[in-house]
Amino acid sequence: MRVITTIKDMQTEIINLKAQSKSIGFVPTMGFLHEGHLTLLKRAREENNIVVLSIFVNPLQFGPTEDFSTYPRDFDRDQSLADCEGVDLLFYPSVEEMYHHSSSVRVTVQERTDVLCGKSRPGHFDGVATVLTKLFNIVMPTRAYFGIKDAQQVAVVEGLISDFNFPIELIPVDIVREEDGLAKSSRNVNLLPEERSEAVVLYKSLTAAKKAIEEGERNPQTIKDQVSDMIRSETHGQIDYVEIYTYPQLKEIQNLEGTCIIALAVKFSKVRLIDNIILEISQEIGGVK
Amino acid sequence: MRVITTIKDMQTEIINLKAQSKSIGFVPTMGFLHEGHLTLLKRAREENNIVVLSIFVNPLQFGPTEDFSTYPRDFDRDQSLADCEGVDLLFYPSVEEMYHHSSSVRVTVQERTDVLCGKSRPGHFDGVATVLTKLFNIVMPTRAYFGIKDAQQVAVVEGLISDFNFPIELIPVDIVREEDGLAKSSRNVNLLPEERSEAVVLYKSLTAAKKAIEEGERNPQTIKDQVSDMIRSETHGQIDYVEIYTYPQLKEIQNLEGTCIIALAVKFSKVRLIDNIILEISQEIGGVK
């Protein structure tokens, strides 16, 4: 595995690889790798000649009150993990390298941002889309891998790639779950033991919603109420949101049909958890994937 | 020459060419080709294996009161001219093909826009930068060619390529002039005979300014006054602006040093003409390129 810290070296390397018709799988991260990242790397390893991992804590996507300076970093550990997963090129630029002068341009995300978690993070997705535009031009990947756990980010990236015509295939990777269904997260360790048992209801409420839709329910409010009621009755957690939108457009919907997301966020005593399922809903009863 | 109208066909063709290590020279235009465009095509033909011309009248860069629908179009003539200049691929997409759904992202240009011609065209350069981001991802050029006649556009494109790390070399192409020094433009035919004779003062005033700087003048206001006085005394045209900025940053400057642009716009009875010179100014007297 080669660690590259400059944009110029990275682009030179990639242009050489592309002249040899190598396919490039790219996993962009902010480092402090967890199991979710490793799943993305494994998938990229299976599907491409070359795997590129980037580690860059992007100041542009942190709000003024957010934790850019205290965001966890452990490059040595990340480097070992990347090596184990068969990463070929680890791109690890400094902030100075990525934003060396005042920027005259940035990407503005006009849709898909003012709902779900994005609602309380104005400008966050502009920062994400801007750094990804840079990284896509630096790494020039054939395929880019993102975890569907952050479904709103995947929706924004889908819009970015599609609207700007990046010649990149977006690969959304399924949520990895514990045996009892809880979505894996490095934050799960902050659940109290009782909360950990209760937290299983998040995914349980989503699968129950899926079942209700399979049985013919098409009213999103009814589904949202059912999910909320189940969470309230089976946890001490506070619901932040339970929402249903079209996916990936993230628009309100009156009657469930097409591709929809059911997404939720629940606050426990020391940690806020998110989960979601994405369903393909047709008009017939039972027509749900 | 092959005419391509879809994004997918263009990307497929380019990916094949790049796998053969072909260099790609790109001239993006809105069509209705004139001598300036042909100069860009000739230069691209000299320096690359493959020459791509795009013709696309981009609605995004026209303001609400501007002439998108009446902008001149003549595809048959453009196609013949492109063929004569040795263009390999002519990309000619419809508006529907380029903007097939509501866009969730766009490029915002934060600097270099609120001066010179951009001052009176809010949003214009956002539209230019957005369509160029798309075209760069569709054509994936090695080199992109722009005429320095529109020096502000070149400055914006320089920022776009540099800040977003496009792996593209920007080639600014010098202004082509008539024998008497008037910058060539398809608009020159709209000058009255007397105005055509007078218009020579535009370039004359710029070369006089260069001479004054060579002789030691470093005060931008003195130079601007000298240029304005010369234009006023030798034409009936109305000065729109005479400005000096750093280049390509387009920032105000107190003492002439480094790379600077002297740019002007003058309104004649039926037409507004622009011209500029870019100078490398060092501290010594005579240190001007």
Side-chain angles (χ1 to χ4, degrees), chain A residues 71-257:
Chain A
Y71 192 88
R73 291 159 170 91
D74 187 344
F75 182 68
D76 290 344
R77 184 173 159 279
D78 287 348
Q79 192 173 2
S80 305
L81 288 169
D83 214 9
C84 290
E85 296 299 337
V87 168
D88 299 293
L89 300 172
L90 199 175
F91 183 52
Y92 182 54
S94 64
V95 171
E96 180 66 9
E97 176 71 8
M98 288 292 276
Y99 301 110
H100 59 106
H101 51 63
S102 72
S103 284
S104 65
V105 291
R106 67 182 295 164
V107 180
T108 308
V109 187
Q110 310 176 109
E111 294 180 357
R112 310 182 182 187
T113 59
D114 59 347
V115 295
L116 305 175
C117 299
K119 206 170 175 172
S120 55
R121 303 188 73 184
H124 168 70
F125 284 113
D126 290 356
V128 171
T130 299
V131 80
L132 283 176
T133 295
K134 290 169 68 71
L135 288 168
F136 287 165
N137 284 335
I138 295 165
V139 175
M140 305 172 224
T142 318
R143 300 179 188 85
Y145 296 80
F146 292 86
I148 199 71
K149 176 106 186 290
D150 190 344
Q152 187 170 19
Q153 176 170 272
V154 172
V156 168
V157 175
E158 193 281 331
L160 177 71
I161 289 179
S162 156
D163 289 346
F164 282 173
N165 309 107
F166 279 103
I168 299 173
E169 189 183 356
L170 168 63
I171 311 282
V173 177
D174 285 347
I175 296 175
V176 183
R177 299 184 178 281
E178 304 289 351
E179 278 193 17
D180 64 3
L182 181 65
K184 288 201 180 189
S185 163
S186 41
R187 295 196 179 88
N188 290 349
V189 297
N190 295 322
L191 290 166
L192 304 177
E194 188 193 9
E195 290 175 334
R196 174 62 190 82
S197 311
E198 290 176 5
V200 72
V201 75
L202 271 54
Y203 185 56
K204 207 174 120 191
S205 71
L206 294 172
T207 48
K210 181 181 176 185
K211 186 154 177 287
I213 297 167
E214 280 168 346
E215 289 169 2
E217 183 57 61
R218 289 293 181 272
N219 183 327
Q221 193 55 54
T222 308
I223 298 291
K224 286 195 272 186
D225 290 345
Q226 177 193 312
V227 169
S228 299
D229 289 349
M230 188 183 277
I231 293 171
R232 270 191 216 99
S233 70
E234 299 189 27
T235 72
H236 293 82
Q238 294 295 311
I239 293 173
D240 188 5
Y241 62 74
V242 171
E243 297 290 358
I244 302 184
Y245 294 111
T246 62
Y247 195 84
Q249 298 78 13
L250 301 182
K251 301 260 188 207
E252 302 261 359
I253 187 166
Q254 299 310 317
N255 187 49
L256 295 173
E257 204 190 328

Side-chain angles (χ1 to χ4, degrees), chain A residues 7 11 15 18-21 97-98 100-112 129-130 133-135 137-138 140 155-156 158-160 162-167 251, chain B residues 7 11 15 18-21 97-98 100-112 129-130 133-135 137-138 140 155-156 158-160 162-167 251:
Chain A
I7 292 167
Q11 287 182 320
I15 287 166
K18 287 181 97 83
Q20 299 164 50
S21 297
E97 176 71 8
M98 288 292 276
H100 59 106
H101 51 63
S102 72
S103 284
S104 65
V105 291
R106 67 182 295 164
V107 180
T108 308
V109 187
Q110 310 176 109
E111 294 180 357
R112 310 182 182 187
T130 299
T133 295
K134 290 169 68 71
L135 288 168
N137 284 335
I138 295 165
M140 305 172 224
V156 168
E158 193 281 331
L160 177 71
S162 156
D163 289 346
F164 282 173
N165 309 107
F166 279 103
K251 301 260 188 207
Chain B
I7 293 168
Q11 289 182 318
I15 286 165
K18 288 180 95 85
Q20 299 164 49
S21 296
E97 176 71 9
M98 288 293 277
H100 59 105
H101 51 62
S102 72
S103 283
S104 65
V105 292
R106 66 183 296 165
V107 180
T108 307
V109 186
Q110 309 176 109
E111 295 179 357
R112 310 184 182 186
T130 299
T133 295
K134 291 170 68 70
L135 288 169
N137 284 335
I138 295 165
M140 307 172 223
V156 168
E158 194 282 331
L160 176 71
S162 156
D163 290 346
F164 281 173
N165 308 109
F166 279 102
K251 301 260 190 209

Side-chain angles (χ1 to χ4, degrees), chain B residues 47-63:
Chain B
E47 299 177 349
N48 301 275
N49 300 128
I50 300 292
V51 174
V52 179
L53 166 70
S54 68
I55 295 182
F56 178 62
V57 184
N58 174 35
L60 224 56
Q61 71 193 66
F62 287 79

Side-chain angles (χ1 to χ4, degrees), chain A residues 246-281:
Chain A
T246 62
Y247 195 84
Q249 298 78 13
L250 301 182
K251 301 260 188 207
E252 302 261 359
I253 187 166
Q254 299 310 317
N255 187 49
L256 295 173
E257 204 190 328
T259 308
C260 297
I261 185 168
I262 311 177
L264 54 82
V266 176
K267 284 179 187 162
F268 291 91
S269 55
K270 291 179 183 169
V271 62
R272 177 175 169 281
L273 300 184
I274 58 171
D275 202 349
N276 69 75
I277 49 169
I278 294 170
L279 302 173
E280 307 278 345
I281 305 168

Side-chain angles (χ1 to χ4, degrees), chain B residues 56-93:
Chain B
F56 178 62
V57 184
N58 174 35
L60 224 56
Q61 71 193 66
F62 287 79
T65 62
E66 292 175 1
D67 56 342
F68 171 68
S69 60
T70 59
Y71 192 87
R73 292 158 169 92
D74 187 344
F75 182 69
D76 290 343
R77 186 173 157 277
D78 288 348
Q79 192 172 2
S80 304
L81 287 168
D83 213 10
C84 290
E85 296 301 336
V87 168
D88 298 293
L89 300 172
L90 199 176
F91 183 52
Y92 182 55

